[in-house]
mmCIF file of all heavy atoms in Angstrom:
data_model
loop_
_atom_site.group_PDB
_atom_site.id
_atom_site.type_symbol
_atom_site.label_atom_id
_atom_site.label_comp_id
_atom_site.label_asym_id
_atom_site.label_seq_id
_atom_site.Cartn_x
_atom_site.Cartn_y
_atom_site.Cartn_z
ATOM 1 N N THR A 476 46.423 13.402 21.200
ATOM 2 C CA THR A 476 45.506 14.283 22.115
ATOM 3 C C THR A 476 44.744 15.382 21.269
ATOM 4 O O THR A 476 45.187 15.436 20.063
ATOM 5 C CB THR A 476 46.467 15.237 23.087
ATOM 6 O OG1 THR A 476 47.300 16.070 22.147
ATOM 7 C CG2 THR A 476 47.314 14.124 23.957
ATOM 8 N N GLY A 477 43.678 15.792 21.817
ATOM 9 C CA GLY A 477 42.939 16.809 21.132
ATOM 10 C C GLY A 477 42.340 17.928 22.130
ATOM 11 O O GLY A 477 42.383 17.666 23.403
ATOM 12 N N LYS A 478 42.019 19.086 21.505
ATOM 13 C CA LYS A 478 41.476 20.093 22.360
ATOM 14 C C LYS A 478 40.006 20.000 22.553
ATOM 15 O O LYS A 478 39.207 19.714 21.639
ATOM 16 C CB LYS A 478 41.760 21.479 21.602
ATOM 17 C CG LYS A 478 43.214 21.750 21.532
ATOM 18 C CD LYS A 478 43.482 23.071 20.812
ATOM 19 C CE LYS A 478 44.936 23.463 20.837
ATOM 20 N NZ LYS A 478 45.241 24.697 20.158
ATOM 21 N N GLY A 479 39.585 20.340 23.687
ATOM 22 C CA GLY A 479 38.159 20.309 24.127
ATOM 23 C C GLY A 479 37.605 21.636 24.045
ATOM 24 O O GLY A 479 37.962 22.445 23.243
ATOM 25 N N GLU A 480 36.696 21.986 24.811
ATOM 26 C CA GLU A 480 35.870 23.298 24.833
ATOM 27 C C GLU A 480 36.741 24.477 25.481
ATOM 28 O O GLU A 480 36.714 25.510 24.892
ATOM 29 C CB GLU A 480 34.593 23.132 25.643
ATOM 30 C CG GLU A 480 33.766 24.444 25.704
ATOM 31 C CD GLU A 480 32.610 24.178 26.803
ATOM 32 O OE1 GLU A 480 32.419 23.188 27.305
ATOM 33 O OE2 GLU A 480 31.890 25.160 27.073
ATOM 34 N N VAL A 481 37.535 24.195 26.481
ATOM 35 C CA VAL A 481 38.387 25.228 27.119
ATOM 36 C C VAL A 481 39.863 24.852 27.320
ATOM 37 O O VAL A 481 40.237 24.552 28.384
ATOM 38 C CB VAL A 481 37.735 25.662 28.446
ATOM 39 C CG1 VAL A 481 36.358 26.315 28.329
ATOM 40 C CG2 VAL A 481 37.580 24.389 29.239
ATOM 41 N N PRO A 482 40.522 24.775 26.184
ATOM 42 C CA PRO A 482 41.976 24.295 26.311
ATOM 43 C C PRO A 482 43.086 25.320 26.617
ATOM 44 O O PRO A 482 44.091 24.964 27.013
ATOM 45 C CB PRO A 482 42.186 23.816 24.908
ATOM 46 C CG PRO A 482 41.335 24.711 23.927
ATOM 47 C CD PRO A 482 40.105 24.927 24.776
ATOM 48 N N ASP A 483 42.759 26.571 26.433
ATOM 49 C CA ASP A 483 43.726 27.686 26.740
ATOM 50 C C ASP A 483 44.249 27.685 28.055
ATOM 51 O O ASP A 483 43.613 27.702 29.030
ATOM 52 C CB ASP A 483 43.094 29.112 26.268
ATOM 53 C CG ASP A 483 42.702 29.201 24.748
ATOM 54 O OD1 ASP A 483 43.215 28.274 24.030
ATOM 55 O OD2 ASP A 483 41.883 30.035 24.546
ATOM 56 N N GLY A 484 45.723 27.701 28.070
ATOM 57 C CA GLY A 484 46.302 27.770 29.270
ATOM 58 C C GLY A 484 46.742 26.377 29.993
ATOM 59 O O GLY A 484 47.332 26.180 30.994
ATOM 60 N N TYR A 485 46.261 25.343 29.229
ATOM 61 C CA TYR A 485 46.483 23.915 29.530
ATOM 62 C C TYR A 485 47.266 23.164 28.479
ATOM 63 O O TYR A 485 46.912 23.398 27.300
ATOM 64 C CB TYR A 485 45.171 23.288 29.886
ATOM 65 C CG TYR A 485 44.290 23.968 30.980
ATOM 66 C CD1 TYR A 485 43.270 24.717 30.468
ATOM 67 C CD2 TYR A 485 44.428 23.730 32.280
ATOM 68 C CE1 TYR A 485 42.414 25.378 31.385
ATOM 69 C CE2 TYR A 485 43.637 24.317 33.240
ATOM 70 C CZ TYR A 485 42.644 25.154 32.845
ATOM 71 O OH TYR A 485 41.713 25.703 33.693
ATOM 72 N N SER A 486 47.964 22.119 28.886
ATOM 73 C CA SER A 486 48.563 21.270 27.907
ATOM 74 C C SER A 486 48.419 19.807 28.564
ATOM 75 O O SER A 486 48.503 19.681 29.694
ATOM 76 C CB SER A 486 50.017 21.558 27.543
ATOM 77 O OG SER A 486 50.670 21.465 28.687
ATOM 78 N N VAL A 487 48.439 18.830 27.619
ATOM 79 C CA VAL A 487 48.493 17.393 28.083
ATOM 80 C C VAL A 487 49.417 16.597 27.216
ATOM 81 O O VAL A 487 49.977 17.158 26.186
ATOM 82 C CB VAL A 487 47.028 16.820 27.920
ATOM 83 C CG1 VAL A 487 46.108 17.455 28.872
ATOM 84 C CG2 VAL A 487 46.564 16.971 26.600
ATOM 85 N N SER A 488 49.663 15.519 27.639
ATOM 86 C CA SER A 488 50.545 14.407 27.039
ATOM 87 C C SER A 488 49.904 13.110 27.306
ATOM 88 O O SER A 488 49.398 12.905 28.274
ATOM 89 C CB SER A 488 51.970 14.508 27.257
ATOM 90 O OG SER A 488 52.162 14.239 28.756
ATOM 91 N N ARG A 489 50.183 12.249 26.363
ATOM 92 C CA ARG A 489 49.670 10.643 26.518
ATOM 93 C C ARG A 489 50.712 9.907 25.992
ATOM 94 O O ARG A 489 50.744 9.269 24.972
ATOM 95 C CB ARG A 489 48.498 10.657 25.850
ATOM 96 C CG ARG A 489 47.825 9.198 26.064
ATOM 97 C CD ARG A 489 46.869 9.167 27.245
ATOM 98 N NE ARG A 489 46.294 7.884 27.552
ATOM 99 C CZ ARG A 489 45.100 7.327 26.918
ATOM 100 N NH1 ARG A 489 44.590 8.115 26.027
ATOM 101 N NH2 ARG A 489 44.778 6.186 27.391
ATOM 102 N N ALA A 490 51.858 9.682 26.855
ATOM 103 C CA ALA A 490 52.954 8.887 26.477
ATOM 104 C C ALA A 490 52.665 7.360 26.601
ATOM 105 O O ALA A 490 53.301 6.526 25.782
ATOM 106 C CB ALA A 490 54.109 9.131 27.398
ATOM 107 N N ASN A 491 51.698 6.956 27.415
ATOM 108 C CA ASN A 491 51.322 5.611 27.466
ATOM 109 C C ASN A 491 49.836 5.561 27.787
ATOM 110 O O ASN A 491 49.156 6.438 27.900
ATOM 111 C CB ASN A 491 52.154 4.887 28.531
ATOM 112 C CG ASN A 491 51.999 5.597 29.839
ATOM 113 O OD1 ASN A 491 50.908 5.683 30.360
ATOM 114 N ND2 ASN A 491 53.065 5.928 30.438
#
Side-chain angles (χ1 to χ4, degrees):
Chain A
T476 62
K478 294 182 179 180
E480 181 187 355
V481 289
D483 294 343
Y485 306 94
S486 63
V487 292
S488 61
R489 187 89 183 277
N491 56 61

